[in-house]
């Protein structure tokens, strides 16, 4: 409550373009006012900031001093505006509140992009530009009395957030956002790390709307969504919503019969030898057994993962060898096919050459027969004496006939 009191002593105004947002501290110079300036970690820094603003001179009356901060300074580098993280739930509203009154309640925290009111049930939602502005509005207005009703302000549940598990150590926020952007606009993607900045294998993705979140959940559940070279699919689940800031204050507890019965005894340590100590020890033993079983399950899962990774690495090498063998066989088959094509081409050329030679020989024989017939015809007609070339052509067949006769005689002997 002290933090809220400090914040309520600071006025945040959404002023004209010349002064977009004013944060003005009350007079008097108390330390509580200085601590109420968000973004300034120490009182000395706040005092130095307020000292830069000229104050009115003279008079003992309370004076107002302050400084102007651009509303854009509330956006972190790379932070998107008007996201689901900037959405506030406002409960216990008066039933007769109008939308104008509701917006006027938050007007000094910037221009909202979403305003919804359910008058019958007395609650509403509003979305501001940045998470920081929403935190300031929540801290200042939570518990504020409006028409005799204390307002209840909480951050609205993010219905389009998913938890992503089984992440590789090389996955970053940017890669996670890039991978899930194929399902729809992503407002924020974060890889969870430990206190040393090492990846824990878990993360979360916040979409701008519910349909792309449902699409991502269904696609990743039905298929195997891989983010890196290693075939290690991510596990996507709806994100569990927790309130680790406000918790459950006493004023919101329901005063039931069980509440009063459990509150009869104050906090204490059970005394040895008593009924409380006996059953408290049994509860502790049960918790210890649960812890040991969870540790054993974690060890088994870790060993199974290590074994799976080793098998996956061996299978990858075997797969690469198989691909190399297949490539070698393909190349050998290609060489064999090329050799067959070469042999077929050589055989075809040889056949063509033989046909050409046969054709040439046939033409020569045909020419010789034509000459012989022409010579015989001339001899039969008479009155023509063959020249030396003709005699040579006539002698050649006689010589062939004579040689054949000699071979026949030798055969007969």
């Amino acid at each position: 409550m002290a933090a809220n009191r400090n914040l309520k002593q600071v006025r945040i105004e959404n002023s004209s373009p010349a002064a977009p947002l004013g944060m003005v501290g009350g007079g008097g110079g108390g330390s509580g006012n200085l601590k109420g300036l968000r973004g300034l970690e120490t009182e000395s820094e706040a005092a130095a900031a307020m000292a830069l603003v000229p104050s009115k001179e003279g008079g003992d009356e309370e004076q107002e001093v302050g400084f102007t901060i651009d509303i854009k300074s509330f956006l972190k580098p790379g932070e998107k505006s008007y996201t689901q993280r900037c959405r506030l739930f406002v409960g216990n509203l008066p039933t007769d509140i109008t939308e104008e009154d509701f917006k006027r309640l938050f007007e000094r925290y910037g221009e909202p992009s979403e305003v919804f009111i359910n008058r019958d049930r007395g609650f509403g939602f509003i979305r501001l530009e940045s998470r920081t502005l929403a935190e300031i509005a929540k801290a200042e207005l939570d518990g504020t009395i409006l028409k005799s009703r204390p307002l209840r302000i909480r951050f609205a549940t993010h219905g389009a957030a998913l938890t992503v598990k089984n992440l590789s150590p090389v996955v970053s926020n940017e890669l996670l956002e890039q991978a899930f952007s194929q399902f729809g606009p992503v407002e924020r993607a974060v890889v969870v790390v430990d206190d040393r900045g090492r990846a824990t294998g878990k993360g979360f993705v916040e979409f701008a709307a519910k349909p792309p979140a449902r699409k991502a959940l269904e696609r990743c559940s039905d298929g195997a969504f891989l983010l890196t070279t290693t075939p290690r699919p991510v596990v996507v689940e709806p994100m569990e919503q927790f309130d680790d800031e406000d918790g459950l204050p006493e004023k919101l507890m329901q005063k039931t019969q069980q509440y009063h019965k459990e509150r009869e005894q104050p906090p204490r340590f059970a005394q040895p030898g008593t009924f409380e100590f006996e059953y408290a020890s049994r509860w502790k033993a049960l918790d210890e057994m649960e812890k040991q079983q969870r540790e054993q399950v974690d060890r088994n899962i870790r060993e199974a993962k290590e074994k799976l990774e080793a098998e996956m690495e061996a299978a990858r090498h075997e797969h690469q060898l198989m691909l190399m063998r297949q490539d070698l066989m393909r190349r050998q088959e290609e060489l064999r096919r090329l050799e067959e094509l070469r042999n077929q081409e050589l055989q075809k050329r040889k056949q063509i050459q033989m046909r050409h030679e046969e054709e040439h020989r046939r033409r020569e024989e045909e020419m010789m027969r034509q000459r012989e017939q022409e010579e015989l015809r001339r001899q039969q007609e008479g009155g023509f004496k063959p020249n030396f070339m003709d005699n040579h052509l006539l002698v050649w067949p006689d010589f062939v006939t004579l040689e054949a006769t000699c071979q026949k005689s030798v055969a007969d002997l």
Side-chain angles (χ1 to χ4, degrees), residues 222-291:
D222 297 339
F225 190 32
L226 308 178
L227 271 60
T228 59
T229 304
T230 304
R232 182 178 180 177
V234 296
V235 179
V236 179
E237 299 174 350
M239 186 175 179
E240 297 184 20
Q241 305 291 334
F242 297 102
D243 184 1
D244 55 359
E245 295 183 2
D246 298 315
L248 184 59
E250 182 70 23
K251 62 181 180 180
L252 299 181
M253 291 290 298
Q254 295 183 1
K255 306 304 188 291
T256 61
Q257 184 178 358
Q258 180 69 16
Y259 169 85
H260 292 290
K261 180 179 178 181
E262 292 293 337
R263 291 297 186 93
E264 290 177 355
Q265 295 289 339
R268 64 200 179 280
F269 282 99
Q271 298 297 322
T274 62
F275 169 84
E276 292 180 337
F277 186 83
E278 177 184 355
Y279 278 88
S281 300
R282 294 175 65 176
W283 273 109
K284 292 184 66 176
L286 183 61
D287 292 338
E288 183 65 24
M289 182 178 66
E290 179 184 6
K291 177 182 177 181

Side-chain angles (χ1 to χ4, degrees), residues 3 10 38 99 122 124 129 158 160 199 217 270 295 299 386 390 392:
V10 179
R38 294 184 62 89
E99 184 174 327
E129 183 178 14
H158 201 307
L217 181 61
E295 291 177 350
R299 284 194 297 269
D390 294 335
H392 175 71

Side-chain angles (χ1 to χ4, degrees), residues 327-345:
D327 185 65
L328 180 61
M329 293 175 62
R330 183 184 60 80
R331 291 174 180 271
Q332 291 177 348
E333 180 65 21
E334 184 70 17
L335 289 175
R336 187 187 63 80
R337 189 179 65 83
L338 291 175
E339 186 67 21
E340 289 182 354
L341 292 176
R342 179 175 174 275
N343 292 335
Q344 291 176 2
E345 184 68 21

Side-chain angles (χ1 to χ4, degrees), residues 372 390-403:
E372 290 176 358
D390 294 335
N391 293 335
H392 175 71
L393 292 174
L394 291 174
V395 171
W396 174 255
D398 295 338
F399 175 76
V400 174
T401 305
L402 179 61
E403 184 180 2

Side-chain angles (χ1 to χ4, degrees), residues 41-58:
E41 298 180 354
T42 64
E43 294 185 17
S44 60
E45 293 178 357
M50 296 187 66
L52 297 176
V53 182
S55 59
K56 298 180 181 179
E57 298 180 356

